[in-house]
Amino acid sequence: MTLPTPTRQNRNTTMADFVLIPGMCHGGWCFAELTDELRAHGHTVHPLTLTGISERSHIHPGAVNLDTHIQDVTAVLEAANIRDAVLVGHSYGGMVITGAADRAADRVRSLVYVDAMVPGHGDSCWSLVTEQERRWYMDVVDSGHAVRPLPFFDPRATPHPLASLLQPLRLAGDLTHIRRRTYVYAAGWDGPSPFAPVHERLRDDPAWKTHALAGGHNLMRDTPRDLARILLEAAEHADHAQTPEP
């Protein structure tokens, strides 16, 4: 599939700020190809590594929870003075972008969930996953603070802070202020996808735009160009919702 030609000089094109949040055990490096695609179109991209993971795994892993990761995102939004972020969350990252959009309502214009959890108030990863995934969560390192990566993960993956999976998400609002919500489903799982019920629920919801891509769970690795196209569309439509045509 061919992406539109970059239009850096087109005065009618609004550049977006994409903030990319990885799933469990992964760092911002997992978005390398996707980041290149978006930057080639002139957009600003912030691929984040969350506290206690990957190159930040040395930072107080025993004290890291979901609130810590939400603050990782809101701190970047504030420090970079971003007012119209497109938050993109992969897998566990869906928990994080939901909380960040709630806490930084004036800085987020669009949410994109990439084969991700879509939590509500009071939900935790533990409450949303299957019994099989809970058994994985209990495979912790010797300190008990973090969950071991699965054997087939990228070699750069590191243990993930357990408390972030157990802590319930607390929301002050209902996210109706978000102008665009998008769900991207990975249709190429080797076996049943745990995200199939989420996709089936959202595709009939008029408040959401849903897509299905023929890749595995790590769509940013399997189908980076198709995923980039969807993100560009999400940013464009959110901008149009904000600014009427003259």
Side-chain angles (χ1 to χ4, degrees):
M1 184 171 295
T2 302
L3 287 171
T5 302
T7 54
R8 295 174 187 268
Q9 305 303 321
N10 186 340
R11 63 182 178 86
N12 295 319
T13 299
T14 300
M15 295 297 100
D17 285 284
F18 291 95
V19 182
L20 312 181
I21 313 302
M24 284 179 61
C25 305
H26 287 66
W29 40 261
C30 71
F31 294 112
E33 291 181 74
L34 180 62
T35 295
D36 289 344
E37 292 283 353
L38 296 173
R39 286 177 176 165
H41 284 72
H43 300 283
T44 302
V45 188
H46 304 266
L48 302 190
T49 294
L50 300 172
T51 300
I53 306 167
S54 193
E55 69 268 25
R56 305 186 71 201
S57 60
H58 61 288
I59 304 176
H60 309 299
V64 174
N65 58 19
L66 178 58
D67 283 341
T68 311
H69 290 163
I70 293 170
Q71 188 175 9
D72 284 340
V73 178
T74 58
V76 167
L77 297 179
E78 183 174 354
N81 196 28
I82 298 172
R83 292 288 177 181
D84 58 353
V86 179
L87 300 187
V88 181
H90 175 246
S91 197
Y92 163 78
M95 301 289 298
V96 180
I97 66 171
T98 304
D102 178 70
R103 298 186 191 182
D106 60 334
R107 295 183 180 274
V108 180
R109 71 176 179 184
S110 182
L111 295 174
V112 182
Y113 295 80
V114 180
D115 218 36
M117 296 175 179
V118 182
H121 176 73
D123 287 336
S124 66
C125 279
W126 181 267
S127 71
L128 292 175
V129 301
T130 64
E131 187 61 34
Q132 180 179 0
E133 288 172 289
R134 289 177 182 172
R135 288 196 292 271
W136 169 33
Y137 290 1
M138 291 296 96
D139 181 20
V140 296
V141 297
D142 291 345
S143 68
H145 293 152
V147 178
R148 290 186 176 90
L150 291 171
F152 54 83
F153 278 9
D154 188 288
R156 294 168 289 182
T158 60
H160 186 97
L162 176 61
S164 71
L165 309 175
L166 303 179
Q167 183 184 22
L169 177 65
R170 301 300 177 190
L171 300 176
D174 57 8
L175 300 186
T176 55
H177 63 280
I178 300 297
R179 296 187 292 277
R180 176 86 172 186
R181 281 179 280 179
T182 302
Y183 194 88
V184 189
Y185 174 63
W189 275 71
D190 183 13
S193 166
F195 297 100
V198 180
H199 177 239
E200 291 169 5
R201 170 171 58 88
L202 296 180
R203 68 184 177 185
D204 295 324
D205 187 334
W208 287 78
K209 176 69 174 178
T210 62
H211 303 265
L213 294 180
H217 180 50
N218 291 317
L219 289 172
M220 60 280 190
R221 180 195 64 198
D222 291 358
T223 60
R225 290 183 63 82
D226 287 344
L227 182 55
R229 173 183 54 82
I230 292 170
L231 298 188
L232 293 170
E233 177 187 296
E236 178 183 359
H237 281 262
D239 185 65
H240 288 172
Q242 178 186 33
T243 307
E245 291 289 338

PDB file of all heavy atoms in Angstrom, residues 20-55:
ATOM      1  N   LEU A  20       4.163   7.916  21.165  1.00  0.00           N
ATOM      2  CA  LEU A  20       4.004   6.466  20.991  1.00  0.00           C
ATOM      3  C   LEU A  20       4.363   5.745  22.283  1.00  0.00           C
ATOM      4  O   LEU A  20       5.476   5.891  22.799  1.00  0.00           O
ATOM      5  CB  LEU A  20       4.904   5.982  19.854  1.00  0.00           C
ATOM      6  CG  LEU A  20       4.859   6.790  18.540  1.00  0.00           C
ATOM      7  CD1 LEU A  20       5.793   6.160  17.504  1.00  0.00           C
ATOM      8  CD2 LEU A  20       3.442   6.888  17.997  1.00  0.00           C
ATOM      9  N   ILE A  21       3.436   4.928  22.781  1.00  0.00           N
ATOM     10  CA  ILE A  21       3.609   4.229  24.054  1.00  0.00           C
ATOM     11  C   ILE A  21       3.657   2.727  23.800  1.00  0.00           C
ATOM     12  O   ILE A  21       2.692   2.147  23.290  1.00  0.00           O
ATOM     13  CB  ILE A  21       2.458   4.543  25.030  1.00  0.00           C
ATOM     14  CG1 ILE A  21       2.174   6.042  25.079  1.00  0.00           C
ATOM     15  CG2 ILE A  21       2.774   3.974  26.406  1.00  0.00           C
ATOM     16  CD1 ILE A  21       3.351   6.881  25.478  1.00  0.00           C
ATOM     17  N   PRO A  22       4.748   2.054  24.170  1.00  0.00           N
ATOM     18  CA  PRO A  22       4.883   0.620  23.889  1.00  0.00           C
ATOM     19  C   PRO A  22       4.104  -0.254  24.864  1.00  0.00           C
ATOM     20  O   PRO A  22       3.623   0.204  25.902  1.00  0.00           O
ATOM     21  CB  PRO A  22       6.392   0.383  24.022  1.00  0.00           C
ATOM     22  CG  PRO A  22       6.833   1.421  25.013  1.00  0.00           C
ATOM     23  CD  PRO A  22       5.951   2.623  24.787  1.00  0.00           C
ATOM     24  N   GLY A  23       4.030  -1.522  24.504  1.00  0.00           N
ATOM     25  CA  GLY A  23       3.419  -2.504  25.383  1.00  0.00           C
ATOM     26  C   GLY A  23       4.390  -3.013  26.428  1.00  0.00           C
ATOM     27  O   GLY A  23       5.510  -2.509  26.578  1.00  0.00           O
ATOM     28  N   MET A  24       3.981  -4.047  27.139  1.00  0.00           N
ATOM     29  CA  MET A  24       4.782  -4.588  28.239  1.00  0.00           C
ATOM     30  C   MET A  24       6.188  -4.972  27.796  1.00  0.00           C
ATOM     31  O   MET A  24       6.382  -5.527  26.716  1.00  0.00           O
ATOM     32  CB  MET A  24       4.092  -5.822  28.828  1.00  0.00           C
ATOM     33  CG  MET A  24       2.901  -5.528  29.718  1.00  0.00           C
ATOM     34  SD  MET A  24       2.146  -7.060  30.324  1.00  0.00           S
ATOM     35  CE  MET A  24       3.515  -7.789  31.237  1.00  0.00           C
ATOM     36  N   CYS A  25       7.146  -4.648  28.647  1.00  0.00           N
ATOM     37  CA  CYS A  25       8.535  -5.087  28.514  1.00  0.00           C
ATOM     38  C   CYS A  25       9.300  -4.417  27.383  1.00  0.00           C
ATOM     39  O   CYS A  25      10.504  -4.656  27.236  1.00  0.00           O
ATOM     40  CB  CYS A  25       8.619  -6.609  28.319  1.00  0.00           C
ATOM     41  SG  CYS A  25       7.786  -7.580  29.594  1.00  0.00           S
ATOM     42  N   HIS A  26       8.657  -3.587  26.584  1.00  0.00           N
ATOM     43  CA  HIS A  26       9.294  -2.991  25.410  1.00  0.00           C
ATOM     44  C   HIS A  26       9.598  -1.513  25.631  1.00  0.00           C
ATOM     45  O   HIS A  26       8.992  -0.849  26.477  1.00  0.00           O
ATOM     46  CB  HIS A  26       8.397  -3.158  24.184  1.00  0.00           C
ATOM     47  CG  HIS A  26       8.360  -4.548  23.657  1.00  0.00           C
ATOM     48  ND1 HIS A  26       7.823  -5.601  24.369  1.00  0.00           N
ATOM     49  CD2 HIS A  26       8.804  -5.084  22.488  1.00  0.00           C
ATOM     50  CE1 HIS A  26       7.938  -6.726  23.667  1.00  0.00           C
ATOM     51  NE2 HIS A  26       8.534  -6.431  22.526  1.00  0.00           N
ATOM     52  N   GLY A  27      10.522  -1.006  24.823  1.00  0.00           N
ATOM     53  CA  GLY A  27      10.889   0.399  24.870  1.00  0.00           C
ATOM     54  C   GLY A  27      10.475   1.126  23.616  1.00  0.00           C
ATOM     55  O   GLY A  27       9.918   0.531  22.676  1.00  0.00           O
ATOM     56  N   GLY A  28      10.761   2.414  23.575  1.00  0.00           N
ATOM     57  CA  GLY A  28      10.406   3.210  22.414  1.00  0.00           C
ATOM     58  C   GLY A  28      11.039   2.716  21.131  1.00  0.00           C
ATOM     59  O   GLY A  28      10.558   3.016  20.031  1.00  0.00           O
ATOM     60  N   TRP A  29      12.112   1.925  21.249  1.00  0.00           N
ATOM     61  CA  TRP A  29      12.789   1.378  20.070  1.00  0.00           C
ATOM     62  C   TRP A  29      11.890   0.473  19.224  1.00  0.00           C
ATOM     63  O   TRP A  29      12.143   0.276  18.033  1.00  0.00           O
ATOM     64  CB  TRP A  29      14.041   0.609  20.482  1.00  0.00           C
ATOM     65  CG  TRP A  29      13.889  -0.214  21.732  1.00  0.00           C
ATOM     66  CD1 TRP A  29      14.300   0.133  22.986  1.00  0.00           C
ATOM     67  CD2 TRP A  29      13.292  -1.510  21.857  1.00  0.00           C
ATOM     68  NE1 TRP A  29      13.994  -0.868  23.889  1.00  0.00           N
ATOM     69  CE2 TRP A  29      13.375  -1.892  23.217  1.00  0.00           C
ATOM     70  CE3 TRP A  29      12.702  -2.391  20.950  1.00  0.00           C
ATOM     71  CZ2 TRP A  29      12.885  -3.108  23.706  1.00  0.00           C
ATOM     72  CZ3 TRP A  29      12.201  -3.610  21.429  1.00  0.00           C
ATOM     73  CH2 TRP A  29      12.289  -3.951  22.786  1.00  0.00           C
ATOM     74  N   CYS A  30      10.820  -0.058  19.801  1.00  0.00           N
ATOM     75  CA  CYS A  30       9.955  -0.959  19.022  1.00  0.00           C
ATOM     76  C   CYS A  30       9.175  -0.206  17.940  1.00  0.00           C
ATOM     77  O   CYS A  30       8.608  -0.826  17.044  1.00  0.00           O
ATOM     78  CB  CYS A  30       9.005  -1.733  19.934  1.00  0.00           C
ATOM     79  SG  CYS A  30       7.686  -0.762  20.674  1.00  0.00           S
ATOM     80  N   PHE A  31       9.168   1.127  18.023  1.00  0.00           N
ATOM     81  CA  PHE A  31       8.459   1.949  17.045  1.00  0.00           C
ATOM     82  C   PHE A  31       9.391   2.528  15.988  1.00  0.00           C
ATOM     83  O   PHE A  31       9.011   3.480  15.291  1.00  0.00           O
ATOM     84  CB  PHE A  31       7.748   3.103  17.751  1.00  0.00           C
ATOM     85  CG  PHE A  31       6.632   2.699  18.665  1.00  0.00           C
ATOM     86  CD1 PHE A  31       6.761   2.864  20.046  1.00  0.00           C
ATOM     87  CD2 PHE A  31       5.451   2.177  18.168  1.00  0.00           C
ATOM     88  CE1 PHE A  31       5.729   2.514  20.898  1.00  0.00           C
ATOM     89  CE2 PHE A  31       4.416   1.822  19.018  1.00  0.00           C
ATOM     90  CZ  PHE A  31       4.551   1.989  20.385  1.00  0.00           C
ATOM     91  N   ALA A  32      10.601   2.010  15.833  1.00  0.00           N
ATOM     92  CA  ALA A  32      11.599   2.645  14.976  1.00  0.00           C
ATOM     93  C   ALA A  32      11.097   2.852  13.546  1.00  0.00           C
ATOM     94  O   ALA A  32      11.193   3.957  12.997  1.00  0.00           O
ATOM     95  CB  ALA A  32      12.886   1.815  14.972  1.00  0.00           C
ATOM     96  N   GLU A  33      10.567   1.808  12.918  1.00  0.00           N
ATOM     97  CA  GLU A  33      10.106   1.940  11.533  1.00  0.00           C
ATOM     98  C   GLU A  33       8.911   2.880  11.435  1.00  0.00           C
ATOM     99  O   GLU A  33       8.823   3.703  10.515  1.00  0.00           O
ATOM    100  CB  GLU A  33       9.753   0.569  10.968  1.00  0.00           C
ATOM    101  CG  GLU A  33      10.939  -0.348  10.760  1.00  0.00           C
ATOM    102  CD  GLU A  33      10.516  -1.688  10.183  1.00  0.00           C
ATOM    103  OE1 GLU A  33      10.196  -1.730   8.987  1.00  0.00           O
ATOM    104  OE2 GLU A  33      10.495  -2.677  10.932  1.00  0.00           O
ATOM    105  N   LEU A  34       7.987   2.769  12.379  1.00  0.00           N
ATOM    106  CA  LEU A  34       6.811   3.633  12.375  1.00  0.00           C
ATOM    107  C   LEU A  34       7.223   5.090  12.577  1.00  0.00           C
ATOM    108  O   LEU A  34       6.697   6.002  11.920  1.00  0.00           O
ATOM    109  CB  LEU A  34       5.840   3.193  13.471  1.00  0.00           C
ATOM    110  CG  LEU A  34       4.553   3.996  13.605  1.00  0.00           C
ATOM    111  CD1 LEU A  34       3.714   3.900  12.338  1.00  0.00           C
ATOM    112  CD2 LEU A  34       3.755   3.507  14.810  1.00  0.00           C
ATOM    113  N   THR A  35       8.163   5.315  13.470  1.00  0.00           N
ATOM    114  CA  THR A  35       8.662   6.671  13.713  1.00  0.00           C
ATOM    115  C   THR A  35       9.247   7.261  12.438  1.00  0.00           C
ATOM    116  O   THR A  35       8.988   8.428  12.094  1.00  0.00           O
ATOM    117  CB  THR A  35       9.726   6.647  14.827  1.00  0.00           C
ATOM    118  OG1 THR A  35       9.105   6.232  16.054  1.00  0.00           O
ATOM    119  CG2 THR A  35      10.339   8.015  15.027  1.00  0.00           C
ATOM    120  N   ASP A  36      10.027   6.474  11.721  1.00  0.00           N
ATOM    121  CA  ASP A  36      10.620   6.953  10.465  1.00  0.00           C
ATOM    122  C   ASP A  36       9.534   7.328   9.454  1.00  0.00           C
ATOM    123  O   ASP A  36       9.644   8.348   8.756  1.00  0.00           O
ATOM    124  CB  ASP A  36      11.533   5.887   9.869  1.00  0.00           C
ATOM    125  CG  ASP A  36      12.824   5.700  10.661  1.00  0.00           C
ATOM    126  OD1 ASP A  36      13.150   6.586  11.482  1.00  0.00           O
ATOM    127  OD2 ASP A  36      13.487   4.663  10.451  1.00  0.00           O
ATOM    128  N   GLU A  37       8.497   6.499   9.359  1.00  0.00           N
ATOM    129  CA  GLU A  37       7.406   6.776   8.417  1.00  0.00           C
ATOM    130  C   GLU A  37       6.724   8.104   8.737  1.00  0.00           C
ATOM    131  O   GLU A  37       6.469   8.926   7.852  1.00  0.00           O
ATOM    132  CB  GLU A  37       6.376   5.639   8.455  1.00  0.00           C
ATOM    133  CG  GLU A  37       6.858   4.314   7.914  1.00  0.00           C
ATOM    134  CD  GLU A  37       6.892   4.286   6.395  1.00  0.00           C
ATOM    135  OE1 GLU A  37       6.414   5.248   5.752  1.00  0.00           O
ATOM    136  OE2 GLU A  37       7.420   3.296   5.853  1.00  0.00           O
ATOM    137  N   LEU A  38       6.411   8.332   9.999  1.00  0.00           N
ATOM    138  CA  LEU A  38       5.697   9.548  10.395  1.00  0.00           C
ATOM    139  C   LEU A  38       6.579  10.777  10.241  1.00  0.00           C
ATOM    140  O   LEU A  38       6.118  11.837   9.791  1.00  0.00           O
ATOM    141  CB  LEU A  38       5.204   9.408  11.830  1.00  0.00           C
ATOM    142  CG  LEU A  38       4.174   8.304  12.077  1.00  0.00           C
ATOM    143  CD1 LEU A  38       3.900   8.166  13.570  1.00  0.00           C
ATOM    144  CD2 LEU A  38       2.885   8.585  11.313  1.00  0.00           C
ATOM    145  N   ARG A  39       7.847  10.663  10.608  1.00  0.00           N
ATOM    146  CA  ARG A  39       8.753  11.805  10.472  1.00  0.00           C
ATOM    147  C   ARG A  39       9.005  12.142   9.009  1.00  0.00           C
ATOM    148  O   ARG A  39       9.231  13.314   8.662  1.00  0.00           O
ATOM    149  CB  ARG A  39      10.066  11.513  11.197  1.00  0.00           C
ATOM    150  CG  ARG A  39       9.929  11.586  12.713  1.00  0.00           C
ATOM    151  CD  ARG A  39      11.213  11.219  13.437  1.00  0.00           C
ATOM    152  NE  ARG A  39      11.054  11.387  14.885  1.00  0.00           N
ATOM    153  CZ  ARG A  39      11.886  10.893  15.794  1.00  0.00           C
ATOM    154  NH1 ARG A  39      12.936  10.186  15.404  1.00  0.00           N
ATOM    155  NH2 ARG A  39      11.659  11.083  17.083  1.00  0.00           N
ATOM    156  N   ALA A  40       8.951  11.147   8.137  1.00  0.00           N
ATOM    157  CA  ALA A  40       9.122  11.406   6.709  1.00  0.00           C
ATOM    158  C   ALA A  40       8.013  12.294   6.167  1.00  0.00           C
ATOM    159  O   ALA A  40       8.186  12.957   5.131  1.00  0.00           O
ATOM    160  CB  ALA A  40       9.161  10.095   5.930  1.00  0.00           C
ATOM    161  N   HIS A  41       6.883  12.331   6.857  1.00  0.00           N
ATOM    162  CA  HIS A  41       5.764  13.185   6.467  1.00  0.00           C
ATOM    163  C   HIS A  41       5.764  14.510   7.228  1.00  0.00           C
ATOM    164  O   HIS A  41       4.794  15.263   7.179  1.00  0.00           O
ATOM    165  CB  HIS A  41       4.447  12.443   6.674  1.00  0.00           C
ATOM    166  CG  HIS A  41       4.174  11.419   5.611  1.00  0.00           C
ATOM    167  ND1 HIS A  41       4.870  10.228   5.518  1.00  0.00           N
ATOM    168  CD2 HIS A  41       3.306  11.433   4.561  1.00  0.00           C
ATOM    169  CE1 HIS A  41       4.427   9.556   4.477  1.00  0.00           C
ATOM    170  NE2 HIS A  41       3.493  10.262   3.877  1.00  0.00           N
ATOM    171  N   GLY A  42       6.862  14.786   7.922  1.00  0.00           N
ATOM    172  CA  GLY A  42       7.025  16.084   8.552  1.00  0.00           C
ATOM    173  C   GLY A  42       6.485  16.212   9.955  1.00  0.00           C
ATOM    174  O   GLY A  42       6.506  17.303  10.528  1.00  0.00           O
ATOM    175  N   HIS A  43       6.004  15.114  10.526  1.00  0.00           N
ATOM    176  CA  HIS A  43       5.406  15.170  11.854  1.00  0.00           C
ATOM    177  C   HIS A  43       6.455  15.009  12.955  1.00  0.00           C
ATOM    178  O   HIS A  43       7.533  14.432  12.740  1.00  0.00           O
ATOM    179  CB  HIS A  43       4.330  14.094  11.998  1.00  0.00           C
ATOM    180  CG  HIS A  43       3.213  14.247  11.009  1.00  0.00           C
ATOM    181  ND1 HIS A  43       2.227  15.188  11.145  1.00  0.00           N
ATOM    182  CD2 HIS A  43       2.949  13.592   9.851  1.00  0.00           C
ATOM    183  CE1 HIS A  43       1.385  15.105  10.120  1.00  0.00           C
ATOM    184  NE2 HIS A  43       1.811  14.142   9.316  1.00  0.00           N
ATOM    185  N   THR A  44       6.134  15.491  14.133  1.00  0.00           N
ATOM    186  CA  THR A  44       6.976  15.302  15.310  1.00  0.00           C
ATOM    187  C   THR A  44       6.555  14.017  16.003  1.00  0.00           C
ATOM    188  O   THR A  44       5.360  13.791  16.219  1.00  0.00           O
ATOM    189  CB  THR A  44       6.826  16.485  16.286  1.00  0.00           C
ATOM    190  OG1 THR A  44       7.181  17.693  15.604  1.00  0.00           O
ATOM    191  CG2 THR A  44       7.717  16.303  17.501  1.00  0.00           C
ATOM    192  N   VAL A  45       7.510  13.177  16.344  1.00  0.00           N
ATOM    193  CA  VAL A  45       7.205  11.873  16.936  1.00  0.00           C
ATOM    194  C   VAL A  45       8.032  11.684  18.206  1.00  0.00           C
ATOM    195  O   VAL A  45       9.245  11.903  18.204  1.00  0.00           O
ATOM    196  CB  VAL A  45       7.495  10.722  15.950  1.00  0.00           C
ATOM    197  CG1 VAL A  45       6.986   9.402  16.511  1.00  0.00           C
ATOM    198  CG2 VAL A  45       6.868  11.003  14.583  1.00  0.00           C
ATOM    199  N   HIS A  46       7.370  11.264  19.270  1.00  0.00           N
ATOM    200  CA  HIS A  46       8.015  10.995  20.551  1.00  0.00           C
ATOM    201  C   HIS A  46       7.791   9.521  20.904  1.00  0.00           C
ATOM    202  O   HIS A  46       6.770   9.175  21.504  1.00  0.00           O
ATOM    203  CB  HIS A  46       7.426  11.869  21.660  1.00  0.00           C
ATOM    204  CG  HIS A  46       7.473  13.339  21.382  1.00  0.00           C
ATOM    205  ND1 HIS A  46       8.503  14.145  21.811  1.00  0.00           N
ATOM    206  CD2 HIS A  46       6.607  14.149  20.713  1.00  0.00           C
ATOM    207  CE1 HIS A  46       8.272  15.388  21.430  1.00  0.00           C
ATOM    208  NE2 HIS A  46       7.133  15.420  20.761  1.00  0.00           N
ATOM    209  N   PRO A  47       8.702   8.614  20.529  1.00  0.00           N
ATOM    210  CA  PRO A  47       8.578   7.208  20.948  1.00  0.00           C
ATOM    211  C   PRO A  47       9.129   7.067  22.373  1.00  0.00           C
ATOM    212  O   PRO A  47      10.328   7.221  22.600  1.00  0.00           O
ATOM    213  CB  PRO A  47       9.432   6.464  19.928  1.00  0.00           C
ATOM    214  CG  PRO A  47      10.431   7.474  19.450  1.00  0.00           C
ATOM    215  CD  PRO A  47       9.849   8.839  19.643  1.00  0.00           C
ATOM    216  N   LEU A  48       8.264   6.775  23.324  1.00  0.00           N
ATOM    217  CA  LEU A  48       8.655   6.797  24.730  1.00  0.00           C
ATOM    218  C   LEU A  48       9.042   5.414  25.239  1.00  0.00           C
ATOM    219  O   LEU A  48       8.458   4.398  24.830  1.00  0.00           O
ATOM    220  CB  LEU A  48       7.519   7.335  25.594  1.00  0.00           C
ATOM    221  CG  LEU A  48       6.991   8.737  25.291  1.00  0.00           C
ATOM    222  CD1 LEU A  48       6.048   9.184  26.404  1.00  0.00           C
ATOM    223  CD2 LEU A  48       8.117   9.731  25.124  1.00  0.00           C
ATOM    224  N   THR A  49       9.987   5.387  26.150  1.00  0.00           N
ATOM    225  CA  THR A  49      10.247   4.216  26.977  1.00  0.00           C
ATOM    226  C   THR A  49       9.786   4.562  28.386  1.00  0.00           C
ATOM    227  O   THR A  49      10.200   5.573  28.945  1.00  0.00           O
ATOM    228  CB  THR A  49      11.742   3.849  26.989  1.00  0.00           C
ATOM    229  OG1 THR A  49      12.130   3.423  25.680  1.00  0.00           O
ATOM    230  CG2 THR A  49      12.014   2.727  27.978  1.00  0.00           C
ATOM    231  N   LEU A  50       8.915   3.745  28.928  1.00  0.00           N
ATOM    232  CA  LEU A  50       8.324   4.026  30.236  1.00  0.00           C
ATOM    233  C   LEU A  50       9.295   3.697  31.366  1.00  0.00           C
ATOM    234  O   LEU A  50      10.194   2.871  31.219  1.00  0.00           O
ATOM    235  CB  LEU A  50       7.027   3.238  30.396  1.00  0.00           C
ATOM    236  CG  LEU A  50       5.941   3.547  29.346  1.00  0.00           C
ATOM    237  CD1 LEU A  50       4.783   2.568  29.483  1.00  0.00           C
ATOM    238  CD2 LEU A  50       5.452   4.985  29.462  1.00  0.00           C
ATOM    239  N   THR A  51       9.077   4.343  32.501  1.00  0.00           N
ATOM    240  CA  THR A  51       9.951   4.158  33.661  1.00  0.00           C
ATOM    241  C   THR A  51       9.984   2.696  34.103  1.00  0.00           C
ATOM    242  O   THR A  51       8.958   2.020  34.162  1.00  0.00           O
ATOM    243  CB  THR A  51       9.456   5.032  34.831  1.00  0.00           C
ATOM    244  OG1 THR A  51       9.490   6.410  34.421  1.00  0.00           O
ATOM    245  CG2 THR A  51      10.339   4.857  36.057  1.00  0.00           C
ATOM    246  N   GLY A  52      11.196   2.208  34.389  1.00  0.00           N
ATOM    247  CA  GLY A  52      11.365   0.856  34.905  1.00  0.00           C
ATOM    248  C   GLY A  52      11.509  -0.215  33.851  1.00  0.00           C
ATOM    249  O   GLY A  52      11.580  -1.403  34.174  1.00  0.00           O
ATOM    250  N   ILE A  53      11.578   0.194  32.564  1.00  0.00           N
ATOM    251  CA  ILE A  53      11.607  -0.761  31.456  1.00  0.00           C
ATOM    252  C   ILE A  53      12.758  -0.420  30.511  1.00  0.00           C
ATOM    253  O   ILE A  53      13.129   0.735  30.349  1.00  0.00           O
ATOM    254  CB  ILE A  53      10.276  -0.740  30.680  1.00  0.00           C
ATOM    255  CG1 ILE A  53       9.099  -0.975  31.618  1.00  0.00           C
ATOM    256  CG2 ILE A  53      10.265  -1.791  29.571  1.00  0.00           C
ATOM    257  CD1 ILE A  53       7.757  -0.668  31.028  1.00  0.00           C
ATOM    258  N   SER A  54      13.338  -1.460  29.893  1.00  0.00           N
ATOM    259  CA  SER A  54      14.366  -1.321  28.868  1.00  0.00           C
ATOM    260  C   SER A  54      15.504  -0.438  29.362  1.00  0.00           C
ATOM    261  O   SER A  54      16.052  -0.678  30.435  1.00  0.00           O
ATOM    262  CB  SER A  54      13.741  -0.783  27.574  1.00  0.00           C
ATOM    263  OG  SER A  54      14.645  -0.910  26.494  1.00  0.00           O
ATOM    264  N   GLU A  55      15.862   0.611  28.605  1.00  0.00           N
ATOM    265  CA  GLU A  55      16.984   1.452  29.018  1.00  0.00           C
ATOM    266  C   GLU A  55      16.688   2.262  30.270  1.00  0.00           C
ATOM    267  O   GLU A  55      17.572   2.904  30.827  1.00  0.00           O
ATOM    268  CB  GLU A  55      17.418   2.391  27.872  1.00  0.00           C
ATOM    269  CG  GLU A  55      16.421   3.491  27.525  1.00  0.00           C
ATOM    270  CD  GLU A  55      15.447   3.098  26.441  1.00  0.00           C
ATOM    271  OE1 GLU A  55      15.205   1.886  26.269  1.00  0.00           O
ATOM    272  OE2 GLU A  55      14.934   4.006  25.768  1.00  0.00           O
TER     273      GLU A  55
END
